[in-house]
């Protein structure tokens, strides 16, 4: 809890964006909704693996390759390539969770510095914020691409702190739904806020979050309470 303005970094995929339309796309092409989570997890897995070996990892390239691989051989309603396109099209048009816009407005009104920090391209966050009318409330959209290793590597968070001159503005928080992201940020010295929309249990093998909230609006209340 803090009554002073802080720098806040938001994870993007699943933290800000609601990926349920991607599940709808997998269902529509005949793959089944459950394949959506498996696919997204393979994207993270391969990005983490490339990062851990010092190799370049590009989110959209991995997403396309892994969609093609996971859909191959399934009883699809159309061709493999049209099915891959349908998945990626759905992913590129997802919108914000309902709680995000009110939360960002409240955090901005309280004077906090707001940034996104993603393993994917910055254009994803830019579109989400633009279409929600929030672009002017966020100070920057950061991606690790061309700058740092993927989160949760320590360098991803340290690079974000440097690029935003966060140390000159007090405390810094990482906000995410993923415990692995919370753990990485904590290891890099940031305060953290875990958004637990699904009433999940936080894994005890990761460093515990500074704050646990059910929504972005609750986060705004917690930081300024």
């Amino acid at each position: 809890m803090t009554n002073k303005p802080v720098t806040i970094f938001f994870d993007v995929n699943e933290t800000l964006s609601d990926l349920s339309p991607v599940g709808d796309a997998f269902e529509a092409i005949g793959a089944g909704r459950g394949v959506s989570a498996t696919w997204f997890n393979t994207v993270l897995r391969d990005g983490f693996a490339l990062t851990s070996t010092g190799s370049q990892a590009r989110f959209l390239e991995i997403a396309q390759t892994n969609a093609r691989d996971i859909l191959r051989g399934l009883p699809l309603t159309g061709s493999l390539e049209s099915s891959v396109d349908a998945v990626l099209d759905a992913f590129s048009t997802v919108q914000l969770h309902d709680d995000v816009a009110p939360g960002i407005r409240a955090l901005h009104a309280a004077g906090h510095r707001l940034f996104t920090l993603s393993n994917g391209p910055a254009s994803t966050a830019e579109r989400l914020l633009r279409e929600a009318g929030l672009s002017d409330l966020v100070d920057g959209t950061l991606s690790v691409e061309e700058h740092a290793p993927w989160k949760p590597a320590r360098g991803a968070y340290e690079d974000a702190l440097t690029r935003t001159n966060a140390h000159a503005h007090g405390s810094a928080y990482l906000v995410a739904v993923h415990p692995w992201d919370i753990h990485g940020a904590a290891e890099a010295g940031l305060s953290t806020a875990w958004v637990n929309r699904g009433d999940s249990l936080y894994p005890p093998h990761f460093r515990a979050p500074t704050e646990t909230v059910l929504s972005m609006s609750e986060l705004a209340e917690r930081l300024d309470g």
Side-chain angles (χ1 to χ4, degrees), residues 8 10 16 96 99-112 114-116 128-129 132-139 216-217 219-220:
I8 301 175
F10 297 99
L16 298 186
L96 299 176
D99 62 296
V100 171
I104 285 181
R105 291 190 182 101
L107 289 165
H108 176 267
H112 300 298
L114 309 179
F115 298 87
T116 60
L128 286 165
L129 297 169
L134 300 172
S135 297
D136 291 344
L137 307 186
V138 175
D139 297 271
M216 293 295 182
S217 297
L219 173 63

Side-chain angles (χ1 to χ4, degrees), residues 30-54:
R33 182 176 299 276
V35 178
S36 174
T38 302
W39 164 72
F40 187 70
N41 286 336
T42 69
V43 176
L44 295 178
R45 177 201 66 197
D46 290 359
F48 295 162
L50 288 167
T51 291
S52 69
T53 57

Side-chain angles (χ1 to χ4, degrees), residues 11 22 24 27 31-33 60 66 76 83 86 89 105 110 112 115 118 134 154 182 187 189-191 193 201 211:
D11 172 55
V22 181
D24 295 340
E27 184 76 18
R33 182 176 299 276
L60 293 180
N66 287 18
L76 305 173
S83 298
D89 286 346
R105 291 190 182 101
H112 300 298
F115 298 87
S118 179
L134 300 172
R154 179 186 297 269
I182 295 295
E187 287 289 296
L190 282 75
S191 296
L201 295 177
E211 303 284 351

Side-chain angles (χ1 to χ4, degrees), residues 70-82:
I70 206 168
L71 294 175
R72 194 184 311 275
L74 294 181
L76 305 173
T77 57
S79 70
L80 175 61
E81 291 308 314
S82 66

Side-chain angles (χ1 to χ4, degrees), residues 6-197:
V6 300
T7 299
I8 301 175
F9 299 101
F10 297 99
D11 172 55
V12 177
N13 291 320
E14 295 190 295
T15 299
L16 298 186
S17 62
D18 178 1
L19 299 189
S20 58
V22 181
D24 295 340
F26 274 92
E27 184 76 18
I29 64 176
R33 182 176 299 276
V35 178
S36 174
T38 302
W39 164 72
F40 187 70
N41 286 336
T42 69
V43 176
L44 295 178
R45 177 201 66 197
D46 290 359
F48 295 162
L50 288 167
T51 291
S52 69
T53 57
S55 302
Q56 182 74 265
R58 292 191 174 276
F59 189 95
L60 293 180
E61 292 177 3
I62 299 171
Q64 182 178 48
T65 297
N66 287 18
R68 186 176 292 110
D69 181 63
I70 206 168
L71 294 175
R72 194 184 311 275
L74 294 181
L76 305 173
T77 57
S79 70
L80 175 61
E81 291 308 314
S82 66
S83 298
V84 171
D85 289 344
V87 167
L88 295 180
D89 286 346
F91 189 81
S92 66
T93 57
V94 297
Q95 300 299 313
L96 299 176
H97 284 286
D98 291 341
D99 62 296
V100 171
I104 285 181
R105 291 190 182 101
L107 289 165
H108 176 267
H112 300 298
R113 303 171 73 233
L114 309 179
F115 298 87
T116 60
L117 177 60
S118 179
N119 287 336
S123 58
T124 298
E126 291 167 357
R127 178 190 64 79
L128 286 165
L129 297 169
R130 181 178 65 252
E131 293 179 358
L134 300 172
S135 297
D136 291 344
L137 307 186
V138 175
D139 297 271
T141 52
L142 308 182
S143 170
V144 301
E145 289 187 350
E146 308 299 340
H147 288 279
W150 272 35
K151 300 179 295 171
R154 179 186 297 269
Y157 309 100
E158 292 175 342
D159 176 75
L161 294 172
T162 298
R163 290 165 64 190
T164 59
N165 195 27
H167 290 306
H169 296 272
S171 301
Y173 274 76
L174 184 282
V175 179
V177 298
H178 305 116
W180 53 261
D181 207 355
I182 295 295
H183 177 83
E187 287 289 296
L190 282 75
S191 296
T192 57
W194 180 45
V195 184
N196 184 17
R197 292 194 184 94

